[in-house]
Amino acid sequence: MGSQEEIIQVINLVKTYGNFTAVKGVEFQVHKGEVFGLLGPNGAGKTTTLEMLVGLRKPDQGTAIVGGFDITKELKKVKEVIGVQLQSTSLFELLSVEEILHLYASFYPNQVSIPTLIEEMLLGDKRKSRIKSLSGGQKQRLAIALALVHDPWIIFLDEPTTGLDPQARRTLWDIILLLKKKGKTIVLTTHYMDEAHVLCDRIAIMNQGELIALDTPSQLVKNLQSDSAVEFRFENESSEVELHEIEGVTKVGNQKDVFVLYTDDLQLTLTSLIEMASDQQLKLTDLQTRTATLEDVFLHMTGRRLREG
Amino acid sequence: MRAYWQLTLSQLRIFLRNRQVLFWTLAFPLFLMVIMGSFLGNGNGISLTIGVVDQDQSFQSKILITSLIDNKALTVQIEKSENKALNKLKKDDLQLVVVIPKGYDASLNSPPAKSAPYLLPVYFNETNIAVSQVGLQVVTNIVDGISKDMLDYHPVVVMDMKGVETLNLKYIDFLVPGIVAMMIMSNNMNGVAGQIAAWRERGILRRMQGTTLKASTFIAAQITARLVLNGLQALIVLGVGHLIFGVEVRGSWFTLISFVILGTLAFMAIGFIIAGIAKTPESAGPIAGFLSFPMLFLGGVFFPIKNMPEFLQPIVQILPIAHLSHALRETMNVGASFMSLGTEALILGGWLVGAFIIASYVFKWE
């Protein structure tokens, strides 16, 4: 994977608001043709990072080379090769799907065939409908269509599936994978782990303005060095138990009253846990085991869950 | 260029599809015009109808009636009976009643020498003194003229009457240009401020900032679309004024349209300032209202500026609406040329340039 052409190079990006530093010197590269995920909870700085890359915010320090152009010096060239879908953008509600696509296409020197684009985004039967009348998923597909009107190489999607129902999310995933197949490079932010796992070739995890990990999803999970997780609660709250002493446990996490034990030896840990529970006369409830996921990686690295608000 | 046309077209589509806004922005000025025009339409011009009761039916009485009829300020109504005429006077159907008694002719033909002048009875309504005074003045002049003729009188000093071109202007002629000015102000200033602030809040402007679209193209398209819309609305208001109240455009359409354009640009620039200052679309409305409301009353839209109290005059004189409404009025009512309205054009131009400079400093995409 390392031999691929780097289409985006982010060099020490810093953004401060007053005395709050939203992005603290982030650096990474995006390869041509991959789906690159920026992951993190709200306020981690992923949207700010993305907005600097597309030229909506000026970095206070550092820069990035996007498609061969410097975002601080050749912004107009950058804008020609990138397509942007922003979080919570609303559009001119009184225009039709077709009209707004023609409008946005007119902003650029090049454009794709709009009827084809409408078909690809599954908006064929909504071609003449007013934007006002579209569903959430349709609006989001239109927002992506607007990012594609000028046939960009790189597409930035800021939380493309937030607020959509499961069905609409899956439709959107298919569209993103279709774009990848067509050779586009996609940079997306999300706080859904499953989404990142399905879509992304590589993931950068951000927390409090810093990049804390960057790897493929499977490698990130592997690095956790625990392939299984055991989750449970105690019926009577009792946190005085030394869970670290249970055999095979590499790491203990907890979220409110739910405990998570990470282990490489599921059987050993389970027997040991149950033994301890009966010794100390504690009642276990909601016990379940599963393989570790990106969610666990995140919890492991930051001590926070992705969507804890 | 393609972006400019597409944006203009889109903006016009948005205007036309926003039926409610379209209807009310047009309905309000039309409603005001019709209401105020109907109630106050004739209030300013004085119409004098005098009744004449000719009891003499002589050569001299005919001369007097002809002189009265010849005077353009009077509408003469011949009445059969004195009583009926006086009743009409009481009801205000007539403003004056002149009675020519029997023996008028004879009295005038008798040697005038030492006898006292003939007394011609003229009745007027005391409750309507202002109008009566004007009527009495007119009749006095006519009667005076007749006396002088009879005496073969050669005046030593005469007035050289130089009539200033006065048109028969009614309040509605004053009102319609004012309403057009008001419409230009509110649609542009309030309209731009509200729309731009709302688009910014909803992230529409930000999304466009993410494309290669230039701000100047966006603003140029905004201006074009609003000029088209305003031009049409002004034409509709003028059309209704013409059809219902017979208001005319006496000056050139070129001058009129030039001022409509100038006014639109000036108020749009002010609207862009408000959009820049307003933090939310909710605050844009009140700010625009704060500016437009006083202008409605002080700017010579409904009432002549002359009628404003002395201490307000300096303020009134710099308001852009005052100059816009004045220029429109001069063009429509008097037929003034563009050149003669240089001051108005200059002041509006000053507002336009000044407001645009400030607007470009305070304008924000997000």
Side-chain angles (χ1 to χ4, degrees):
Chain A
M1 279 227 168
S3 63
Q4 276 159 317
E5 187 189 336
E6 284 168 2
I7 201 161
I8 300 176
Q9 281 172 282
V10 180
I11 305 151
N12 191 32
L13 271 187
V14 176
K15 183 75 194 175
T16 50
Y17 299 109
N19 49 16
F20 169 70
T21 309
V23 177
K24 303 169 182 164
V26 167
E27 296 210 359
F28 59 86
Q29 284 83 37
V30 177
H31 304 314
K32 191 172 183 205
E34 74 175 339
V35 179
F36 186 91
L38 269 176
L39 226 77
N42 292 334
K46 50 192 198 315
T47 295
T48 308
T49 303
L50 191 114
E51 285 179 343
M52 284 192 279
L53 294 182
V54 301
L56 288 174
R57 289 182 199 281
K58 291 232 171 305
D60 292 317
Q61 270 178 55
T63 187
I65 312 295
V66 176
F69 305 108
D70 190 317
I71 57 162
T72 55
K73 293 179 194 125
E74 302 158 292
L75 194 53
K76 190 162 188 290
K77 294 251 175 67
V78 171
K79 284 178 177 175
E80 278 180 31
V81 299
I82 63 169
V84 188
Q85 171 260 316
L86 296 173
Q87 211 182 112
S88 67
T89 312
S90 64
L91 300 161
F92 297 112
E93 302 236 297
L94 293 168
L95 294 183
S96 74
V97 167
E98 206 173 37
E99 284 164 355
I100 198 158
L101 284 167
H102 280 290
L103 174 65
Y104 273 74
S106 77
F107 299 163
Y108 297 97
N110 306 315
Q111 66 172 80
V112 296
S113 150
I114 285 171
T116 317
L117 181 60
I118 290 176
E119 287 308 322
E120 277 175 2
M121 294 300 131
L122 312 173
L123 292 166
D125 50 343
K126 292 283 168 188
R127 206 160 53 90
K128 298 218 178 285
S129 308
R130 300 264 170 95
I131 293 167
K132 201 160 67 171
S133 69
L134 301 183
S135 71
Q138 288 163 341
K139 271 188 189 151
Q140 203 61 311
R141 295 206 296 277
L142 176 60
I144 293 176
L146 287 176
L148 300 174
V149 279
H150 56 298
D151 201 16
W153 313 336
I154 309 162
I155 298 150
F156 291 90
L157 307 173
D158 195 2
E159 297 192 4
T161 62
T162 298
L164 298 185
D165 61 66
Q167 170 83 46
R169 281 179 72 200
R170 287 188 188 272
T171 314
L172 215 62
W173 290 358
D174 289 341
I175 284 174
I176 292 168
L177 292 172
L178 175 85
L179 291 175
K180 184 192 170 189
K181 208 186 269 173
K182 291 172 98 184
K184 308 283 182 199
T185 305
I186 296 157
V187 177
L188 61 85
T189 70
T190 183
H191 49 213
Y192 295 114
M193 276 299 159
D194 53 344
E195 184 167 296
H197 219 136
V198 172
L199 295 176
C200 297
D201 297 309
R202 290 194 308 146
I203 292 169
I205 296 180
M206 284 189 79
N207 190 40
Q208 294 174 340
E210 284 168 335
L211 196 71
I212 53 174
L214 198 172
D215 218 322
T216 60
S218 50
Q219 199 61 42
L220 281 173
V221 177
K222 207 177 278 175
N223 286 351
L224 195 60
Q225 291 180 332
S226 333
D227 49 17
S228 304
V230 180
E231 271 189 21
F232 59 89
R233 287 191 296 132
F234 290 116
E235 202 174 62
N236 313 309
E237 266 185 55
S238 151
S239 47
E240 293 136 47
V241 195
E242 273 303 326
L243 294 170
H244 286 280
E245 287 166 11
I246 295 169
E247 282 176 82
V249 170
T250 54
K251 169 99 185 163
V252 178
N254 73 311
Q255 187 71 31
K256 286 173 193 155
D257 58 340
V258 180
F259 294 92
V260 188
L261 306 180
Y262 296 104
T263 173
D264 282 330
D265 193 336
L266 183 62
Q267 192 171 354
L268 183 65
T269 303
L270 262 183
T271 13
S272 173
L273 170 68
I274 289 165
E275 217 166 86
M276 177 214 70
S278 19
D279 279 356
Q280 306 194 13
Q281 305 203 317
L282 290 166
K283 195 156 187 210
L284 295 171
T285 57
D286 300 338
L287 177 69
Q288 53 174 325
T289 68
R290 55 183 172 79
T291 50
T293 64
L294 276 174
E295 190 87 39
D296 299 309
V297 174
F298 193 81
L299 188 63
H300 179 98
M301 285 181 173
T302 67
R304 297 161 71 189
R305 278 190 188 259
L306 272 169
R307 262 173 293 163
E308 68 188 9
Chain B
M1 209 52 195
R2 217 158 44 91
Y4 167 75
W5 286 118
Q6 277 287 339
L7 273 168
T8 307
L9 187 67
S10 302
Q11 176 69 74
L12 285 174
R13 278 184 180 135
I14 291 169
F15 279 143
L16 293 179
R17 287 171 193 176
N18 211 334
R19 299 256 161 71
Q20 225 179 353
V21 171
L22 199 66
F23 176 78
W24 289 107
T25 52
L26 199 56
F28 179 56
L30 285 180
F31 176 76
L32 260 184
M33 183 174 76
V34 171
I35 293 295
M36 297 191 71
S38 310
F39 288 145
L40 306 170
N42 299 317
N44 252 19
I46 295 178
S47 71
L48 279 172
T49 310
I50 72 167
V52 178
V53 185
D54 188 359
Q55 295 167 343
D56 199 39
Q57 298 286 349
S58 62
F59 174 69
Q60 282 299 339
S61 70
K62 291 278 182 300
I63 289 181
L64 177 57
I65 292 171
T66 319
S67 323
L68 289 172
I69 291 172
D70 281 352
N71 191 300
K72 287 202 177 82
L74 303 175
T75 312
V76 177
Q77 224 172 307
I78 306 291
E79 294 291 335
K80 291 263 154 51
S81 100
E82 191 177 334
N83 279 341
K84 272 191 187 159
L86 290 178
N87 272 335
K88 283 190 182 171
L89 180 65
K90 282 177 195 152
K91 280 191 268 169
D92 223 18
D93 289 341
L94 295 173
Q95 275 74 46
L96 284 180
V97 171
V98 178
V99 180
I100 309 174
K102 237 178 168 45
Y104 172 71
D105 189 297
S107 167
L108 291 199
N109 286 328
S110 68
K114 283 142 202 136
S115 63
Y118 186 81
L119 295 173
L120 183 73
V122 177
Y123 299 91
F124 62 90
N125 187 343
E126 278 185 321
T127 59
N128 200 353
I129 199 75
V131 176
S132 307
Q133 285 302 332
V134 177
L136 287 171
Q137 196 60 46
V138 174
V139 175
T140 307
N141 281 341
I142 292 166
V143 172
D144 206 34
I146 291 171
S147 327
K148 284 170 181 168
D149 279 352
M150 296 299 296
L151 287 172
D152 199 15
Y153 168 80
H154 292 286
V156 187
V157 183
V158 289
M159 279 191 285
D160 182 10
M161 306 267 218
K162 294 204 165 146
V164 177
E165 187 193 359
T166 55
L167 297 153
N168 186 19
L169 291 182
K170 294 193 205 131
Y171 180 64
I172 190 76
D173 295 291
F174 179 86
L175 184 67
V176 171
I179 296 233
V180 172
M182 176 199 80
M183 206 169 74
I184 290 174
M185 172 183 74
S186 74
N187 285 2
N188 287 294
M189 193 168 82
N190 306 23
V192 165
Q195 186 176 52
I196 299 296
W199 284 358
R200 192 172 51 219
E201 163 110 342
R202 285 160 56 201
I204 289 179
L205 295 186
R206 234 164 100 69
R207 178 62 185 84
M208 287 205 261
Q209 201 194 358
T211 72
T212 50
L213 177 68
K214 285 196 291 262
S216 55
T217 313
F218 171 76
I219 291 170
Q222 268 290 310
I223 290 171
T224 314
R226 283 192 180 268
L227 273 177
V228 171
L229 188 82
N230 261 291
L232 283 177
Q233 290 195 321
L235 280 180
I236 293 173
V237 171
L238 290 178
V240 172
H242 179 70
L243 288 176
I244 301 184
F245 300 105
V247 173
E248 281 174 61
V249 177
R250 294 192 173 86
S252 78
W253 281 91
F254 169 77
T255 311
L256 191 68
I257 291 169
S258 304
F259 273 102
V260 169
I261 292 174
L262 201 55
T264 303
L265 294 177
F267 282 110
M268 245 197 266
I270 300 175
F272 273 108
I273 298 180
I274 299 172
I277 296 171
K279 291 205 169 67
T280 63
E282 287 76 22
S283 62
I287 296 176
F290 175 77
L291 292 178
S292 61
F293 211 67
M295 283 213 250
L296 274 185
F297 292 99
L298 300 181
V301 171
F302 301 122
F303 321 104
I305 292 175
K306 296 193 284 288
N307 297 355
M308 298 288 158
E310 196 64 34
F311 72 97
L312 280 176
Q313 290 290 338
I315 301 169
V316 168
Q317 291 299 337
I318 58 161
L319 294 180
I321 185 98
H323 297 281
L324 178 61
S325 54
H326 183 245
L328 293 178
R329 215 160 263 151
E330 289 290 300
T331 311
M332 288 177 60
N333 293 348
V334 186
S337 67
F338 191 83
M339 294 313 287
S340 67
L341 295 169
T343 322
E344 282 74 17
L346 220 64
I347 291 175
L348 280 175
W351 272 94
L352 166 61
V353 172
F356 226 87
I357 292 170
I358 298 173
S360 62
Y361 277 106
V362 298
F363 188 75
K364 299 182 283 276
W365 281 101
E366 53 178 305

